[in-house]
C-alpha cells in the first residue's frame, strides 16, 4: 500500500542521509590528515634542505683544505674507502659542489 511505500522511502532517505553524514565526516577527517601530512612533508623538506646546505658547506671547506694542502705539497692522508674517489674528484677537478646530488655529498662526506 501507499503508506508502506512512503514509510519505506522515508526509512531509505533516513539511511542515505546517515550514510552521507558518515561519508562527509570521513572526508573531513581525511582532509585534516592530508593537511597534517602536507605540513609534515614541508617540514621534512625544509630540514633536508638545511642539512644538505650544511653538508655542502662542510664538504666545501674540506675540499679547500685538501686543495690548499695539495698546492703547498703537504701530504694529508685520506681515510680511503669507497668515497675517496668522489672526494678526489672534487679536490683535483674542482668540481662545483652545487652540481652534486645529496647522495653524492653524503657519500663523499
Amino acid at each position: 500500500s501507499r503508506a508502506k511505500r512512503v514509510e519505506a522511502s522515508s526509512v531509505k532517505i533516513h539511511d542515505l542521509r546517515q550514510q552521507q553524514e558518515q561519508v562527509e565526516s570521513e572526508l573531513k577527517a581525511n582532509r585534516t590528515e592530508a593537511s597534517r601530512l602536507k605540513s609534515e612533508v614541508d617540514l621534512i623538506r625544509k630540514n633536508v634542505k638545511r642539512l644538505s646546505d650544511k653538508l655542502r658547506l662542510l664538504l666545501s671547506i674540506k675540499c679547500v683544505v685538501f686543495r690548499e694542502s695539495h698546492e703547498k705539497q703537504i701530504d694529508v692522508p685520506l681515510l680511503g674507502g669507497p668515497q675517496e674517489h668522489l672526494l678526489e674528484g672534487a679536490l683535483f677537478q674542482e668540481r662545483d659542489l652545487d652540481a652534486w646530488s645529496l647522495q653524492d655529498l653524503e657519500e663523499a662526506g
Side-chain angles (χ1 to χ4, degrees):
S1 80
R2 181 168 159 51
K4 286 183 182 180
R5 286 187 299 187
V6 169
E7 186 176 331
S9 294
S10 292
V11 169
K12 185 161 182 132
I13 289 171
H14 182 318
D15 290 344
L16 290 173
R17 284 188 179 149
Q18 283 183 330
Q19 287 177 358
Q20 181 182 8
E21 288 174 8
Q22 182 180 0
V23 167
E24 286 174 353
S25 175
E26 289 173 7
L27 178 61
K28 184 178 178 182
N30 288 341
R31 284 182 177 158
T32 301
E33 178 68 5
S35 177
R36 185 189 68 77
L37 291 173
K38 183 182 181 302
S39 296
E40 193 172 317
V41 165
D42 290 343
L43 180 62
I44 289 169
R45 282 187 179 140
K46 183 179 176 182
N47 286 336
V48 165
K49 178 165 180 10
R50 182 181 54 81
L51 291 173
S52 176
D53 290 346
K54 191 177 210 178
L55 181 60
R56 195 175 310 277
L57 175 66
L58 293 173
L59 186 57
S60 177
I61 292 169
K62 187 176 182 179
C63 289
V64 167
V65 167
F66 279 105
R67 277 191 201 119
E68 288 180 6
S69 298
H70 180 72
E71 289 171 4
K72 295 177 182 177
Q73 298 180 350
I74 299 171
D75 191 25
V76 178
L78 296 175
L79 296 177
Q83 74 277 12
E84 185 174 346
H85 72 281
L86 291 172
L87 185 57
E88 285 179 357
L91 295 175
F92 302 115
Q93 298 172 12
E94 298 188 21
R95 184 173 167 195
D96 183 16
L97 294 180
D98 290 333
W100 286 38
S101 70
L102 181 59
Q103 183 178 358
D104 288 344
L105 288 171
E106 287 173 344
E107 289 174 2

